[in-house]
Structures are given as structure tokens and as C-alpha cells.
Amino acid sequence: MVETALADVLVLFGATGDLAQRMLLPSLYFLDADGLLPERLRVVGTARTDMSREDFQAATRKAVEERAAPEPVDEEAWRRFVARLDYVGANAAEPQGLEALKTAVCEASRPIFYLALSPSFYGSVCRGLQAAGLAGPQARIVLEKPIGRDLKSSRAINQLVGEVFSEDRIYRIDHYLGKETVQNLMALRFGNIFFEPLWNNQTIDHVQITVAETEGVGERWPYYDEYGALRDMVQNHMLQLLCLVAMEPPSDLQPDAVRTEKVKVLKSLRPFTRADAGMNSVRGQYVAGVVGGQTVAAYETERGQPSDIETFVALRVDIANWRWAGVPFFLRTGKRLPERRTQIAIQFKSVPHSIFEGAARADLMPNRLVIDLQPDEDIELILMNKAPGLGQSLRLEPLPLSLSLLHTYSGPGRRRRIAYERLLLDVICGSSTLFVRRDEVEQAWEWVDGVAESWTDSRLVPKPYAAGSWGPAGAFALIERSGRAWYD
């Protein structure tokens, strides 16, 4: 990336909020500690909270310490980073707030405006930036997903932002795309000749994508009760993972080449109908149970009153194109599940004929490629191997083969990077490959709206599941109807 593309100031809206304190500010510190931030880049935090520059720096120091633990903060790196930090207390929804911010931005010609805010504020903040003369031709804006609650609201927000910033200067961020293993998936597919010929309906039986969380909704229930698992996780993260697995090889890694292939996948998703709702989807809501040895309350108890929103969803998704015809994609996500896990499991078909006999025939199992994103990041290929021994009868056993070199970066004294580090660095350098284009967001919403409408038309209500379980019984029936099982 040429030097002239580098940003000279990053303005962080919502700088005192949870996302900024837990992820964004520590990510910027770690980038600086590694010598990756431009020398002249300044970081200006802004929020409605009235605090001094010194108080903001102290709060940031605490956030960095918590994220770096158990390792101490590098004092030399901190001195360099804290010198970049400034703070402006302002209400971004009011014109005078942005006028105060204008003074802090000073003469920056290539600012980044990161909106760690509710999407309902995106339009008003963009108009305010324009009115204050801050949305110049080299200014960039970063928007957190999900953008809107449905296609209509997403289009409205995108329209307001697009009236101020051209599409090439809008960075819609999905932090899953910054994970090392997600990027490694592209290297695995498109950098190895022996994988791509097998990446189709001739050899792959089905694909499973799981995003499981042990945490409940807790104090986030006002947001969650409006969105639910479908709009919060499926539209946002899970469809991105599906697209990376299913997309055709792009011509290169230029932003539009990659994102165009993802849009093609979204357009190929078979729409849900009223008949599909009962057969191909499951909604659930957690009730009281035990997670990690601790008794936890039901969602309705946390909320304080009854609710019909889902905290769990499982779907069978079909892609209507030549590569994936007949290959089901099974998606499941939920709160208060037994373990924290984000995983893609690609199940290959069985060998067409077994030459083995007796116990070895029963031992034989299909190959599987398992991509773990959290809590650990790894890529593992399950192969069949002869079990060691001198017995007269041949026995087979699965042999896990790690395809990931992530252990190289997470050994003693090494730190696993926050996904936001990769994405923040890309914004600073002006690279948008790992960000989401407007038509991609809206195509995803169009499909998700269809799923939600099928639920309404069929009156599909969430089924209760005990916290600490893997969801309602219907989630198991969903996949077992096809003769398959969840990979647990």
C-alpha cells in the first residue's frame, strides 16, 4: 500500500463503550507495539461521557492491561501509544458535538471515522460529519454490523451513509473475517491444487457451521429481544462463513473480485417458504439450566417478562448452483450452550467401496475437514489410518492431521492476535478485501427476511431448551432426517 493511502487520524465514536474498551483500543495498542501503525497516526476517542484526556488515557491503560494479561504492558510501547491518544466529549448526534470534534481532528487529510455505535445513529453522524466539513474525499468510515434489522432498514441506513461517503470509502466490518483461521481457509482452498478439485458435490457430503456460546443474553436483552439469533448471528457472521466455504475461486484477491463471488453465493441460497419452516429450521429459547457447573436463569427471567424471540436457531440451507447442488449446509447457533465453539466441519463422502472386512469395515469413517475459529484456532483433517499392532485382523483408526501453523504464533511468549487488529490495519492502509460491500449486506438481509417471514407464516414459535444443552430436540431431528448427525 502506498504511503499516501495511510490514514493520519482515527476517530473512534463510542470510545467509552464495551467494544472500544475490550477490542478496539487494545488492538490499536498491540499494532503500535509491533511497529505497525503509521508514525503520524493519532487516535481520538469521542463519546457523550464528559472526561478529560488524562482520564481517557487511564481508562485505555486499564483496558490494555486486562487484554494483555497475564503479560505486562510494554512500557516503551505504551509511552508511544498514549502520546497518540486524545479525547473529545461530545454528542455525535448534535451538530455542535461534531464542531468540537473538528478542532481535535485539526488538519488531518485522511481521517478514519469508526462508528462503534448503534446503527440507528449512522445516518445522523454521517450528515454531521459532512456539515462540519470532515467527510472529505479521502475520509473513510467504518460501520459495525449488523446494519439494520431487515432489508428495508438496512437499505435506509446504507442510503444515508452513501449520500456522504462513496462505496469505496465505506468499510462494513465483520470481525470474524479478521480471524487468522478464516483467512487460512482461503489459503487452504486456493493455494493447494489437491483441495479445489474435491471442493464440490461429487466428494463433499455436507457442511456444518456451528457458533455456540455459553453466555446468556443478560443485560443485552433490549437489543437481543429485537434481533434474536437469526438477525444477530446468522445474517451477520454465519452467512459470511458460508460464503467463504461455498464461493467460486475469485480471479484475484482484489476487494471486488472476492466480494462479488460472495454475493453470487448469497443469490444462490434457496429461499425459505412456509413449508420449509417446520422441516428445515428450528427456533429455541433457553430456560433455566446448568452451564459450566453453575445454575443459570431462563431468558425470560433475565428479560423480566415473556418473549417470543429465539436464542437458538438451526437451519438446513441449500445452495442452488452446479457446485453445491444436493449438498446441505447445516447451521446452528445459540446462547447458553454447553461449550463455546465456532467451527466449520466439512464432511466428505464415504469411499464408494470398502475393501476391508470384519472390524475394519466397521472402523471405516468418512474424511472430515474441521476448521476451528474459537476458542482455539486450528484446521484439522481427519484421515483413516491403520491402527498399530501385529494382530491378524486389520483395524483402522482416525488420524487427525493438523493443517494449521497457528501453533507457530501462539507458543511461549507469543500472543494470539485479536481479529480486529487485522481489520483495523487494513482500514488504515486502505484495503477493503476483508470488508463487506453494500449489495452483500442487502442480499444477506433479503434471504434472512425470507426465513423470518416463513416463521411468521407458519407460526413457528421458539421451543424451550435447558441451558447447558445443545438446543431443542428438533435441532437433532433437523439433521437426522437426512441420515446425518451434528459433529460434537
Side-chain angles (χ1 to χ4, degrees):
M1 189 62 57
V2 294
E3 180 70 22
T4 55
L6 297 176
D8 46 13
V9 64
L10 190 154
V11 180
L12 179 55
F13 288 85
T16 59
D18 182 67
L19 175 63
Q21 293 292 312
R22 285 194 309 110
M23 295 291 184
L24 303 179
L25 289 165
S27 293
L28 289 167
Y29 160 78
F30 289 127
L31 289 173
D32 201 2
D34 290 337
L36 297 174
L37 291 186
E39 182 179 351
R40 297 181 180 179
L41 180 75
R42 294 185 300 116
V43 179
V44 179
T46 183
R48 288 180 293 182
T49 304
D50 186 17
M51 66 167 61
S52 66
R53 179 175 186 263
E54 291 71 24
D55 287 342
F56 177 64
Q57 291 173 339
T60 301
R61 169 74 186 222
K62 181 180 178 181
V64 169
E65 288 176 341
E66 290 177 354
R67 191 72 199 198
E71 297 298 320
V73 171
D74 183 298
E75 294 301 330
E76 181 179 349
W78 172 254
R79 283 192 294 272
R80 186 168 63 245
F81 182 63
V82 76
R84 301 177 186 270
L85 290 179
D86 199 357
Y87 182 81
V88 176
N91 186 343
E94 298 178 354
Q96 58 268 33
L98 291 171
E99 283 296 327
L101 187 63
K102 184 176 181 179
T103 302
V105 173
C106 298
E107 299 177 356
S109 60
R110 297 180 298 279
I112 294 171
F113 300 104
Y114 196 122
L115 306 194
L117 305 168
S118 166
S120 61
F121 293 113
Y122 290 174
S124 60
V125 171
C126 287
R127 286 194 299 265
L129 290 171
Q130 185 179 48
L134 294 172
Q138 296 190 74
R140 304 162 195 162
I141 191 160
V142 184
L143 309 178
E144 278 284 339
K145 292 176 64 193
I147 298 173
R149 184 185 179 275
D150 51 25
L151 178 59
K152 181 179 179 181
S153 58
S154 181
R155 280 178 171 165
I157 293 170
N158 280 322
Q159 179 64 30
L160 290 171
V161 175
E163 290 173 358
V164 179
F165 293 89
S166 57
E167 181 63 28
D168 63 310
R169 295 187 291 133
I170 301 172
Y171 292 72
R172 298 174 187 84
I173 198 166
D174 185 330
H175 73 272
Y176 270 45
L177 299 183
K179 291 181 177 293
E180 193 74 29
T181 316
V182 171
Q183 297 168 60
N184 222 356
L185 171 60
M186 296 181 68
L188 188 75
R189 279 195 64 186
F190 306 128
N192 298 285
I193 189 63
F194 52 85
F195 271 115
E196 188 55 28
L198 304 178
W199 213 264
N200 54 52
N201 57 6
Q202 300 300 308
T203 52
I204 292 178
D205 179 77
H206 72 281
V207 177
Q208 298 181 25
I209 302 177
T210 295
V211 180
E213 300 177 277
T214 57
E215 295 180 350
V217 175
E219 296 180 357
R220 291 183 67 233
W221 73 260
Y223 161 83
Y224 204 86
D225 211 59
E226 181 181 1
Y227 280 74
L230 177 68
R231 293 180 171 91
D232 182 49
M233 292 301 297
V234 175
Q235 188 279 339
N236 199 14
H237 304 311
M238 300 191 81
L239 287 185
Q240 282 296 313
L241 298 180
L242 182 149
C243 285
L244 289 174
V245 172
M247 72 181 188
E248 295 295 320
S251 58
D252 51 43
L253 285 181
Q254 292 302 309
D256 278 341
V258 174
R259 296 188 290 186
T260 295
E261 295 304 332
K262 290 197 289 180
V263 171
K264 289 179 183 178
V265 174
L266 294 170
K267 288 182 176 180
S268 298
L269 297 180
R270 189 168 66 82
F272 262 63
T273 65
R274 179 177 177 177
D276 292 318
M279 290 292 294
N280 295 330
S281 69
V282 176
R283 301 179 75 197
Q285 185 184 107
Y286 63 82
V287 297
V290 178
V291 180
Q294 300 292 321
T295 302
V296 296
Y299 173 71
E300 290 188 346
T301 302
E302 294 175 336
R303 189 182 185 278
Q305 63 187 58
S307 169
D308 62 355
I309 203 66
E310 77 283 348
T311 61
F312 175 96
V313 61
L315 302 170
R316 171 180 170 149
V317 180
D318 290 279
I319 301 175
N321 63 24
W322 278 35
R323 181 183 289 264
W324 297 111
V327 178
F329 283 66
F330 295 99
L331 280 54
R332 64 173 172 172
T333 183
K335 300 285 188 180
R336 291 297 190 205
L337 298 182
E339 62 183 75
R340 178 172 174 257
R341 184 204 306 176
T342 300
Q343 183 182 78
I344 303 168
I346 299 165
Q347 179 76 57
F348 291 89
K349 293 182 177 181
S350 300
V351 294
H353 170 70
S354 175
I355 66 170
F356 305 102
E357 298 179 348
R361 183 184 293 271
D363 293 338
L364 191 62
M365 59 183 289
N367 303 125
R368 182 185 293 123
L369 181 66
V370 181
I371 302 159
D372 288 311
L373 280 74
Q374 62 182 19
D376 299 315
E377 296 188 47
D378 194 19
I379 299 177
E380 185 179 68
L381 180 63
I382 309 298
L383 303 173
M384 293 310 298
N385 179 60
K386 178 191 174 296
L390 299 176
Q392 294 300 305
S393 60
L394 183 69
R395 295 299 303 267
L396 300 176
E397 65 180 6
L399 174 68
L401 174 65
S402 177
L403 301 179
S404 175
L405 295 179
L406 292 180
H407 62 275
T408 304
Y409 306 104
S410 57
R414 294 185 182 270
R415 177 185 61 84
R416 179 169 292 156
R417 289 195 181 278
I418 305 170
Y420 278 99
E421 292 179 50
R422 167 79 272 165
L423 299 174
L424 283 166
L425 187 60
D426 281 358
V427 177
I428 291 167
C429 295
S431 174
S432 57
T433 300
L434 296 177
F435 295 83
V436 184
R437 207 167 59 192
R438 174 176 176 170
D439 57 343
E440 191 177 342
V441 171
E442 294 179 359
Q443 193 66 46
W445 272 125
E446 183 173 347
W447 185 80
V448 165
D449 282 356
V451 176
E453 289 167 9
S454 77
W455 288 351
T456 300
D457 293 344
S458 62
R459 299 181 181 179
L460 186 71
V461 298
K463 301 295 184 183
Y465 66 95
S469 71
W470 277 107
F476 296 93
L478 171 72
I479 193 169
E480 288 169 358
R481 277 194 292 270
S482 66
R484 301 172 174 97
W486 292 111
Y487 177 58
D488 294 329

